[in-house]
Structure formats: structure tokens, C-alpha cells
């Protein structure tokens, strides 16, 4: 499935590529990342292959990521209008200013204007609430975002890194008040981070939010660079990521290596194909520091895992979910009475759960 086989984002008509180009690595301002020239080459390669979805944030490389995108494509109207440019607000770039971040009306409007200037565009296609501001009423946030949509400065809205109950509250408030709703949900999702399957992913499917996973390779842990064979001798460039290199991770990597061997492909592509194939996922965000990384990872779009291969990875990484997610499959059996519903046969419950047949007479 190439990049120009587009998919609609959630309950909207917005067409996006199945892999989104993540721009968190654009710029070397934090001591790591891609140079301006390399970032531009990555953008050109992605666009040349039919990609149309670029994701950044006001805080990425202190605003430089947005500026690189603006300088290279934002100011060229013929290029810009063919793209879906997504950026995020919430992070505070201004030390000492309490209103420089968060999700209040004042901070949202200011952040939007600043992003528009850096991106050199007069509208943002998809504006993400980067993370929940616990000090601001969600009604204020949604009203301010709706105003930006009606002003033509924002086309669609999304939400990232926020509890499912708060997203649901925001979505229902928008629905009942006739405000612009969220159409996308950005979450961490990978073979090593599946707890979103308890609340966030079911919520997204129920409320019409297209999921766009970030860190599908778990900060590079599933890139193929780290193996059980080189454990201890090869360490991540960012020290905090080393905590993810534990026995469970190596067990998953072992299985990825086995499947990659069967398919004559790479560990990274198998891990990406698994994420992109999950129910509810619209477009997976790929971060690439080099052009070679982008080229290699994009080939995951051509990969199709067999049912056996997917099942092996699923079984190996089944997460422990919060109550009541863990018992929901069991509770479904209480409803069906051994009948077949929607094509699924429900087994009878054990005797200690089953109703007394004699109760029929009452």
C-alpha cells in the first residue's frame, strides 16, 4: 500500500497518507536531530512518494521544526495547499509567562498565531491539543478551538496524550453545543506500549477518532539496532531510553527477528506493519533522522503479516489492562446465553454463573 493510497481521518473527510511524516527530529537545536538540509531532503522524498501528512508541534526543537517546514513548503502556496500540515499547542516556550502554555483561550489563540507565522501559512489543517491542561475547563478549550475553526485558521481538531474520560467529555460537549469535534487521536502505541487498548483505542473507534500512533518503534528500541546478542554493548543515544531495554523487550525483538527472516525484511518494518494493521489506526507517525531511515521504514507499507505472525506478536505482548477492560470479554458471555450474535458464537457460562433453569417458572 503506497503513500498515495489515502485514508480518511476518523469521522471526517480529510484524506491522509497511511504513514505520517513526524517532524520532531527536524533541527539540531537540542543536540540531536536532522540538519535543515537533511530535514528538507526527508520532506522532499516523502512528498515525492505521494505522502501528504506532516506532523509537528510548537515545542519541537523550540519552534525550529515548524520554521523548517514553513521555509521549505509552507510559503510555497502550490505545495502547501496539497499538504495536510498538523501541529500542536499546549507547551510553553516562554519562561516566566504563566499564559505561554496550556489550553486556555489566551494561550491557544497566541500559540496558533505563532505557529501560523513559523509555518508561513494562513491555516493549519489539523490542530492538536498536545496534552491535557488540568487547570483549564475543557469547555473553554473547546470553545476557543471552535472559534479558530470558524475563523478559518484551523480546519480540523485532534487530541493527544489525554485520558479517555477527558477526551470523551470534550467530544460530547462539542457535539451537544454544535462545536467542531476532535477527528483524530494521537497516542503512543507499539508492541511495547499496548495499554491504550484498554480505554483509548475503544473510545477512538466509538467516537469516530482516527488514531495516529507515535513512537511505533518505542524510541528506536524496535528498530533492529538492539538485539539480545549485543545487549550491553549497544546503548541508545538518549540515556533515558535504555530503561526500555529489558528482557521482555529482547523477547519481542527475538520474535520480530524470526518473522523478519520469514519475510526477508527488517525488524523495524515488521513492528511498523503490526501497528499500522491494528483496528482503529488511521496513519502511523514515522520519525526519521536521516533519509536512509525514512526510505527503510516506508517499505513497511508493502508488508503484510500473516494471521499466524500477528497472533504470535499479539500473544507475546498482551498488556495488563485497568479494570474493567480485562474482564469485558468474560462479561460479554453473561449477555448472550450461548447464542450466536453478529456471527460470533458465545459459549455457555460455567454452572456457577448460569441462571437456574427452574427460575423460568417464576
Amino acid at each position: 500500500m503506497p503513500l498515495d493510497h489515502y485514508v480518511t481521518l476518523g469521522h471526517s473527510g480529510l484524506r491522509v497518507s497511511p504513514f505520517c511524516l513526524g517532524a520532531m527530529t527536524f533541527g539540531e537545536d537540542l543536540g540531536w536531530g536532522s540538519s535543515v538540509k537533511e530535514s528538507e531532503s526527508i520532506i522532499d522524498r516523502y512528498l515525492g512518494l505521494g505522502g501528504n501528512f506532516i506532523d509537528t508541534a510548537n515545542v519541537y526543537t523550540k519552534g525550529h521544526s515548524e520554521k523548517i517546514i514553513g521555509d521549505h513548503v509552507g510559503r510555497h502556496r502550490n505545495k502547501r495547499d496539497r499538504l495536510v500540515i498538523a501541529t500542536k499547542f499546549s507547551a510553553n516556550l516562554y519562561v516566566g509567562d504563566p499564559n505561554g502554555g496550556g489550553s486556555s483561550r489566551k494561550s491557544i489563540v497566541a500559540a496558533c498565531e505563532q505557529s501560523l507565522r513559523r509555518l508561513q501559512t494562513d491555516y493549519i489543517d489539523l490542530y492538536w491539543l498536545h496534552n491535557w491542561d488540568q487547570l483549564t475547563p475543557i469547555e473553554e478549550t473547546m470553545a476557543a478551538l471552535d472559534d479558530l475553526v470558524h475563523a478559518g485558521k484551523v480546519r480540523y481538531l485532534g487530541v493527544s496524550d489525554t485520558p479517555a474520560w477527558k477526551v470523551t467529555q470534550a467530544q460530547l460537549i462539542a457535539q451537544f453545543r454544535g462545536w467542531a469535534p476532535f477527528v483524530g487521536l494521537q497516542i503512543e502505541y507499539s508492541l511495547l506500549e499496548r495499554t491504550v487498548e484498554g480505554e483509548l483505542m475503544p473510545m477512538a473507534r466509538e467516537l469516530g477518532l482516527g488514531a495516529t500512533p507515535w513512537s511505533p518503534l518505542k524510541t528506536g528500541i524496535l528498530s533492529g539496532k538492539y538485539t539480545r546478542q549485543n545487549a550491553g554493548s549497544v546503548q541508545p543515544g538518549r540515556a533515558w531510553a535504555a530503561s526500555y531495554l529489558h528482557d521482555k523487550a529482547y523477547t519481542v525483538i527475538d520474535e520480530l527477528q524470526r518473522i523478519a527472516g520469514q519475510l526477508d525484511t527488517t525488524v523495524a518494518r515488521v513492528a511498523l506493519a503490526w501497528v499500522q494493521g491494528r483496528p482503529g489506526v488511521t496513519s502511523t507517525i514515522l520519525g526519521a533522522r536521516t533519509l536512509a531511515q525514512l526510505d527503510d521504514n516506508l517499505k513497511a507499507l508493502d508488508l503484510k503479516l500473516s494471521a499466524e505472525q500477528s497472533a504470535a506478536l499479539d500473544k507475546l505482548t498482551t498488556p495488563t489492562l485497568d479494570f474493567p477492560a480485562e474482564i469485558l470479554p468474560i462479561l460479554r458471555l453473561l449477555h448472550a446465553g450461548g447464542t450466536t450474535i453478529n456471527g460470533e458464537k458465545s459459549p455457555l457460562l460455567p454452572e456457577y454463573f448460569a441462571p437456574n433453569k427452574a427460575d423460568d417458572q417464576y
Side-chain angles (χ1 to χ4, degrees):
M1 180 173 64
L3 283 172
D4 60 359
H5 284 202
Y6 306 108
V7 288
T8 52
L9 181 65
H11 190 58
S12 81
L14 184 64
R15 283 81 157 165
V16 297
S17 293
F19 276 174
C20 172
L21 180 60
M24 190 174 76
T25 57
F26 287 5
E28 301 171 294
D29 306 68
L30 302 178
W32 53 272
S34 311
S35 67
V36 172
K37 184 176 180 180
E38 187 80 1
S39 300
E40 291 175 345
S41 296
I42 289 170
I43 293 172
D44 289 341
R45 179 64 57 83
Y46 176 77
L47 300 185
L49 294 171
N52 77 334
F53 191 13
I54 300 178
D55 181 80
T56 185
N58 67 334
V59 73
Y60 291 170
T61 49
K62 302 179 180 180
H64 196 190
S65 173
E66 286 185 326
K67 189 175 187 305
I68 290 171
I69 295 168
D71 288 342
H72 195 56
V73 294
R75 63 191 179 94
H76 301 288
R77 194 73 191 211
N78 60 326
K79 291 182 179 180
R80 192 271 167 269
D81 286 344
R82 295 177 64 88
L83 294 178
V84 175
I85 296 179
T87 192
K88 310 178 193 72
F89 68 93
S90 291
N92 193 330
L93 300 179
Y94 306 99
V95 176
D97 180 4
N99 292 303
S103 302
S104 68
R105 177 178 290 274
K106 178 176 174 63
S107 63
I108 289 173
V109 173
C112 183
E113 296 291 349
Q114 293 153 11
S115 287
L116 289 170
R117 287 196 294 270
R118 285 190 290 264
L119 290 166
Q120 298 187 53
T121 181
D122 53 11
Y123 68 97
I124 294 165
D125 293 291
L126 178 59
Y127 204 31
W128 298 99
L129 188 161
H130 203 162
N131 37 67
W132 175 37
D133 173 10
Q134 300 177 49
L135 300 179
T136 300
I138 197 65
E139 294 91 340
E140 179 178 343
T141 299
M142 297 306 291
L145 290 172
D146 183 67
D147 287 345
L148 290 177
V149 171
H150 281 283
K153 295 182 178 182
V154 169
R155 300 292 192 255
Y156 297 90
L157 303 175
V159 59
S160 171
D161 303 348
T162 296
W165 65 269
K166 181 53 68 171
V167 176
T168 302
Q169 181 190 25
Q171 196 77 334
L172 291 178
I173 287 172
Q175 177 182 337
F176 286 122
R177 298 193 180 181
W179 295 342
F182 293 132
V183 299
L185 176 73
Q186 194 169 139
I187 48 174
E188 182 179 2
Y189 197 10
S190 72
L191 280 163
L192 294 179
E193 178 46 77
R194 292 182 56 186
T195 56
V196 292
E197 294 175 9
E199 297 284 350
L200 286 160
M201 285 301 294
M203 175 208 70
R205 297 173 70 185
E206 185 72 19
L207 298 183
L209 305 179
T212 62
W214 58 266
S215 199
L217 298 179
K218 192 63 175 179
T219 319
I221 297 302
L222 301 178
S223 66
K225 184 188 302 183
Y226 311 102
T227 67
R228 195 180 294 278
Q229 292 70 37
N230 66 28
S233 60
V234 178
Q235 293 291 323
R238 285 168 276 183
W240 53 267
S243 64
Y244 301 140
L245 285 171
H246 40 62
D247 187 64
K248 178 184 176 181
Y250 286 123
T251 300
V252 174
I253 292 168
D254 290 342
E255 182 63 20
L256 288 170
Q257 287 178 314
R258 184 186 72 83
I259 295 173
Q262 291 177 340
L263 299 173
D264 190 26
T265 189
T266 67
V267 164
R269 292 176 204 159
V270 175
L272 290 170
W274 180 89
V275 173
Q276 185 59 21
R278 302 305 291 175
V281 169
T282 295
S283 181
T284 300
I285 300 174
L286 295 185
R289 192 171 49 82
T290 67
L291 196 56
Q293 285 179 342
L294 178 70
D295 287 338
D296 186 70
N297 290 340
L298 285 177
K299 292 176 182 177
L301 282 175
D302 300 323
L303 202 61
K304 180 68 174 178
L305 301 182
S306 69
E308 181 272 331
Q309 290 163 342
S310 293
L313 291 170
D314 289 350
K315 183 177 180 180
L316 201 59
T317 60
T318 300
T320 299
L321 303 176
D322 290 338
F323 179 87
E326 285 283 353
I327 66 170
L328 289 179
I330 300 172
L331 296 181
R332 287 177 59 189
L333 303 182
L334 289 169
H335 310 152
T339 62
T340 297
I341 302 174
N342 290 337
E344 184 176 346
K345 173 66 176 176
S346 173
L348 287 170
L349 286 166
E351 279 300 316
Y352 57 87
F353 272 133
N356 191 330
K357 293 181 180 179
D359 289 347
D360 291 344
Q361 62 186 300
Y362 296 110

